[in-house]
Amino acid sequence: MSDGGPEESGGAVGLPSRRRRPTPMSQWDPTARLSYWAFHANRRPAYMRFAYLQLGSDAAAEEAVDATFDSIMCEWLKMLHMDRLDAYAWTVLKRSIVDRQHRLHPWQRQPEPMDISAFEAALKEAHADQYEVLTDTIRFYSAVSRLAERQRDAVLLRYGLQCTPGEAASVMGVDEATVRSYLGQAHRRLARLLDTSAASPESPESESESAESAES
């Protein structure tokens, strides 16, 4: 990890920019340095696990997370004055994952989660037939990939990474009540998607996104 500029400009509102030269960490006061490394130690494990779910590769996940923390390092002195520092960092991570997903699979419009082990384990508890488990897993994971972004993030953190709602809220930089709301919306949306898929497995699901599926 270098003290240099961010690897990516992001191109989106609120993300780090290359236009101004960041203050090198060597010139930070001790409190700022300690706070950055404390944040790094606290968030990196969850960021790595989440990036792996999205990218399906340890190397790709590490690259995305390293780029994320490079960008965060360059913006850290400004971030210390933000009301929602965690939410900003989560946005940087998500953009870094999207960039790497596009590099790995340029034909895909959006990143899709890769690791389905947590969902397979949950389904095996309810089904004995292995073919049925595989079929249900594919249907369920396909449905998860069609959720609104924040709902999908909440589901992956809660069930893919086994975070509590409070832990997921901390990582995403939102209130626990907001995560619970996302999960409730996701459950209702998944129920509709899975019900439609079970009834017509060969027909594309044409239901339009409801207001509850919209991004907050």
Side-chain angles (χ1 to χ4, degrees):
M1 186 97 44
S2 68
D3 288 352
E7 179 177 326
E8 305 160 30
S9 63
V13 175
L15 291 179
S17 169
R18 286 177 171 172
R19 292 184 179 178
R20 63 181 182 81
R21 205 177 178 90
T23 303
M25 184 181 279
S26 60
Q27 297 179 20
W28 296 5
D29 64 61
T31 301
R33 285 198 297 271
L34 285 172
S35 65
Y36 170 80
W37 289 117
F39 180 85
H40 182 283
N42 183 270
R43 289 289 177 261
R44 185 178 174 85
Y47 282 12
M48 280 293 297
R49 291 161 62 205
F50 183 84
Y52 178 81
L53 278 179
Q54 297 286 2
L55 298 169
S57 158
D58 287 334
E62 187 166 8
E63 182 183 356
V65 173
D66 282 348
T68 297
F69 279 107
D70 280 345
S71 295
I72 289 173
M73 180 186 292
C74 293
E75 298 292 316
W76 188 250
L77 297 182
K78 181 177 72 175
M79 290 173 66
L80 289 174
H81 300 284
M82 293 180 179
D83 291 333
R84 310 200 68 171
L85 183 153
D86 280 296
Y88 182 88
W90 183 251
T91 301
V92 177
L93 173 67
K94 293 298 297 295
R95 182 53 189 256
S96 184
I97 290 173
V98 169
D99 286 348
R100 271 136 194 88
Q101 181 70 24
H102 287 167
R103 293 180 194 177
L104 292 170
H105 306 292
W107 57 88
Q108 288 185 357
R109 292 187 177 181
Q110 63 181 18
E112 294 186 357
M114 302 291 292
D115 188 343
I116 62 175
S117 58
F119 301 111
E120 287 177 333
L123 286 165
K124 284 178 181 177
E125 294 180 0
H127 300 288
D129 184 87
Q130 292 302 304
Y131 178 79
E132 185 178 4
V133 169
L134 177 61
T135 301
D136 284 354
T137 301
I138 292 171
R139 286 178 51 234
F140 180 75
Y141 220 63
S142 175
V144 168
S145 72
R146 298 171 69 179
L147 293 173
E149 181 180 355
R150 289 183 181 273
Q151 295 171 17
R152 186 170 64 246
D153 289 351
V155 167
L156 291 176
L157 287 167
R158 178 70 180 93
Y159 301 109
L161 301 185
Q162 303 299 309
C163 293
T164 66
E167 290 168 342
S170 180
V171 171
M172 294 176 69
V174 297
D175 297 331
E176 182 174 340
T178 301
V179 167
R180 292 185 182 278
S181 176
Y182 290 153
L183 291 171
Q185 293 168 10
H187 291 160
R188 291 189 290 273
R189 178 66 175 156
L190 286 171
R192 291 197 298 273
L193 287 170
L194 292 171
D195 183 64
T196 301
S197 176
S200 306
E202 297 181 0
S203 300
E205 196 273 329
S206 59
E207 176 186 358
S208 61
E209 287 285 341
S210 64
E212 71 181 11
S213 298
E215 291 290 334
S216 297

